């Protein structure tokens, strides 16, 4: 289940070598946590308390930085969440995800940062697939797995993981029309657009700046 399919092995190795030359060293706790409970890998097609915990910790990390910035501009009703792209292989997918989300919701907008972003995208090989988590130092990140991005639509993967940055939980049992159903509907599902309900959830979560979203985390 957790092993990347062999037919992509050659391409993956080539991509990995190329990426290793340009990518910043990726050493968050993801490596250290191997052997513990599995991460939110699409391949499991199921959510668990552990996955949901990591997703929530990630969202809280994103929120903590966004909150600091918002304090400087309390008059704004729209929050801008910034990110660093350290996943050069997936720049197109990430840009697509940003465009999709910025067109889909109003109360929060994504913007690429030249450094010091609210969260980061990384890339690499991980048998658990792609996931969102924190690095143990309060910084949230999205990890994009080479094998999974070959098997599944890469923009869907990026937009799904970015959905966690905006506060959405997994819903693997949902249909392909939902972004947060992730790998649930299988690799043939290439939908990369959040459905109306997902859009409404994000806009509601980020309504009136950060007041509401902060309150929701207190519950
Ligand atoms: Zn997910």
């Amino acid at each position: 289940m957790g092993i990347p399919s062999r037919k992509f092995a050659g391409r993956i190795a080539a991509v990995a070598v190329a990426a290793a030359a340009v990518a910043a060293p990726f050493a968050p706790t993801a490596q250290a946590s191997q052997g513990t409970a599995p991460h939110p890998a699409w391949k499991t097609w199921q959510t668990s308390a552990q996955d949901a915990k990591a997703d929530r910790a990630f969202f809280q990390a994103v929120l903590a930085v966004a909150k600091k910035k918002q304090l400087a501009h309390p008059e704004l009703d729209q929050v801008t969440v910034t990110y660093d792209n350290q996943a050069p292989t997936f720049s197109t997918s990430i840009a697509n995800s940003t465009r999709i989300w910025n067109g889909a919701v109003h109360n929060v907008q994504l913007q690429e940062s030249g450094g010091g972003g609210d969260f980061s995208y990384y890339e690499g090989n991980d048998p658990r697939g792609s996931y969102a988590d924190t690095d143990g130092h309060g910084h949230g990140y999205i990890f994009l797995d080479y094998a999974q991005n070959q098997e599944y639509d890469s923009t869907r993967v990026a937009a799904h993981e970015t959905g966690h940055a905006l506060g959405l939980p997994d819903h693997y049992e949902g249909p392909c029309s939902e972004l947060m159903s992730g790998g649930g509907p299988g690799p043939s599902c290439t939908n990369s657009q959040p459905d109306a309900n997902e859009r409404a959830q994000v806009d509601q979560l980020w309504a009136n700046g950060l007041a509401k979203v902060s309150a929701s985390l207190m519950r």
Side-chain angles (χ1 to χ4, degrees):
M1 282 275 281
I3 310 296
S5 64
R6 295 205 169 272
K7 62 182 168 180
F8 295 121
R11 278 173 79 184
I12 292 160
V15 171
V17 167
V22 290
F26 176 75
T29 50
Q31 311 296 354
S33 64
Q34 276 185 5
T36 61
H39 264 269
W42 284 25
K43 282 166 189 162
T44 62
W45 288 5
Q46 246 177 6
T47 187
S48 72
Q50 179 69 21
D51 297 347
K53 211 176 144 192
D55 290 342
R56 197 171 164 83
F58 169 64
F59 178 50
Q60 275 169 330
V62 170
L63 198 57
V65 225
K67 207 170 181 173
K68 257 185 218 165
K69 289 186 309 183
Q70 189 73 6
L71 281 175
H73 300 279
E75 74 284 1
L76 297 180
D77 73 336
Q78 190 179 59
V79 182
T80 299
V81 171
T82 61
Y83 62 86
D84 295 328
N85 177 8
Q86 300 193 52
T89 305
F90 303 115
S91 289
T92 303
S93 304
I94 292 166
N96 286 341
S97 164
T98 298
R99 185 175 41 76
I100 288 165
W101 275 114
N102 285 349
V105 297
H106 169 78
N107 293 337
V108 60
Q109 294 283 289
L110 294 158
Q111 193 176 73
E112 182 165 355
S113 158
D118 300 342
F119 71 96
S120 302
Y121 292 92
Y122 289 100
E123 62 182 41
N125 290 301
D126 193 313
R128 295 165 299 183
S130 304
Y131 53 81
D133 207 343
T134 53
D135 64 0
H137 304 283
H139 190 69
Y141 69 90
I142 287 172
F143 178 81
L144 297 170
D145 175 61
Y146 294 131
Q148 189 183 57
N149 277 275
Q150 296 275 3
E151 191 178 2
Y152 291 86
D153 183 87
S154 187
T155 297
R156 176 169 167 83
V157 174
H160 170 98
E161 297 303 336
T162 305
H164 290 309
L166 303 178
L168 295 179
D170 281 315
H171 187 230
Y172 290 122
E173 60 273 35
C176 178
S177 55
E178 285 180 18
L179 201 48
M180 301 317 285
S181 60
S188 64
C189 173
T190 60
N191 169 47
S192 54
Q193 305 284 333
D195 74 2
N197 184 43
E198 290 170 326
R199 293 167 190 230
Q201 270 186 63
V202 170
D203 263 334
Q204 200 178 20
L205 208 48
W206 295 86
N208 307 314
L210 286 167
K212 193 162 180 175
V213 74
S214 299
S216 76
L217 288 172
M218 296 303 188
R219 288 202 295 266

